[in-house]
Each structure stands twice: as C-alpha cells, then as structure tokens.
Amino acid sequence: LLLASTRPGAASGVRTCGGAAMLVAYTEQLAKLRIVLASQSPRRSELLHMLQLPFEVVVSNFDEDLDKSSFPSAAAYAEETATHKAIDVTTRCMAQEGQSLPDLVIGADTVVELAGKVLEKPKDEEDAKRMLSQLQGKRHEVHTGVAVVLPRAVDPTVGKAPLVRSFSESTKVTFAPLEPKTIAAYVATREPMDKAGAYGIQGLGGSFVQRVEGCYFNVMGLPVHRLALEVEKLLQQGLLT
C-alpha cells in the first residue's frame, strides 16, 4: 500500500494516526449508507478504503478561489475550502432526480504552510522547483481541512437540512537539505504536479522527509483518525443512520 521507505513509522520522529478500529463496531451500519467523497484525489480514496468505508466519488466543481488573506490562518482557509467542496457536491446530489440522497458527503482540502505563506499545487514545473527550493532544509506545516455534510439531517441553527460540520488537522514536516539537481530530478518525475507543496510523502517525496510531528495520513490528504472520530460521533448521536 505504501512505499517501504515512507511507510508510517519508518522514519525517526514519525507519529502516525489510525482510525479504522474506531469504526469496526459500525461496519454493518456503515455498509448500508450512501457515502460520497467530494474529491478526485486517489490518495484520499486510498485512505477511505483503509477505513473500510463504502463510498463513491463525485468530484467538486468548486473553483477553490477563496481569498487567503481573509482567513485568520492557513488551516482555516483549508477548512473553508473543504466546506465549499462538500456543499457543492451535496447541492448537486440533492438536485438529482431519481437518485437517493447521500447520507454523508466528505470534502477535504490540503495546503502546505511555510513561514506564514500558503503553498498549494504547483502551476508548472518551475513553480514546483520554487516550492521545493523553499521547503528544503526547513520545517513546514501541512493543514488539511475536512467537512462532513449530512444532507438528510437538519442544522439546528437554521432549522433545515443539510447539517455541516468541519474541522482541520495540522502536521509539522521537516525536510532534509536538497541540492538543485535533486529537486530538478524529482520534478521531472511529475510526481509533485498534483500535490500541495509539490511533494508526495507516500511516494518519492517521502525520501526528503526527516521528521513528521503529528498525523502522517494528514500529510497524504486526509486525517483518518480525526475523521473516524467525527463519523463515530455522528453515529452515536443518531445523526447518521
């Protein structure tokens, strides 16, 4: 599932997070639900499969054009973007005729923050090289915002559906020093091009990582432990049935 060199716990200082065990008691109940992932990320799909959640993918059409400067933190920006993604997919699903409503829609957005600046997906190879040159030899933070939307549940604050809950998770990542030729060779593999901060910790980019403080899976794009806690809470409260 993961490269041996980047598996959770393989590097010194890595603290991982799991989550599947929290949902084991609800396997039969979850199997009856229609769960939608509002993301085309193969890594998020991989992590939801790890949680053994049955789901389908409906890609969000949200433009991800929120003004970063209007948010108090990069984590808040990621959380709001995730919320817009999930609501976009929920609205489209609710408008479809002849299909049952989803019971749960999950949206997520991941950004890298270095010295207060948000790094998202690189625009091109030169942008990827620039990002990696900034990250090399330093510690940065990875923030993933997650929104869970329940189209059938009523939001008590407005008195109507859907019910929206969101949160964010942050992880500190330390990069080793990198030579320009290493950065160029990595960018040439194309691995960085669809990833926030221009690297994938679960792939070749994992070899650049000296230390991870927090949830490893959060860096991949989905904090599975925290998500499992939130889903478990919804089940216990009778909101997800």
Side-chain angles (χ1 to χ4, degrees), residues 38-74:
S39 172
Q40 63 183 347
S41 165
R43 294 162 294 282
R44 294 193 181 112
S45 289
E46 177 183 327
L47 293 174
L48 278 190
H49 280 302
M50 187 181 73
L51 284 176
Q52 299 185 23
L53 290 178
F55 69 95
E56 61 192 88
V57 172
V58 178
V59 179
S60 170
N61 291 331
F62 178 63
D63 288 334
E64 301 185 40
D65 55 358
L66 299 177
D67 180 7
K68 300 179 184 65
S69 64
S70 66
F71 293 90
S73 66

Side-chain angles (χ1 to χ4, degrees), residues 112-123:
V112 168
E113 180 183 12
L114 177 66
K117 184 177 181 180
V118 173
L119 305 179
E120 297 186 275
K121 297 175 184 177
K123 298 176 182 178

Side-chain angles (χ1 to χ4, degrees), residues 77-91:
Y77 166 75
E79 185 174 339
E80 186 66 15
T81 299
T83 301
H84 278 274
K85 288 180 179 180
I87 290 177
D88 170 73
V89 169
T90 299
T91 301

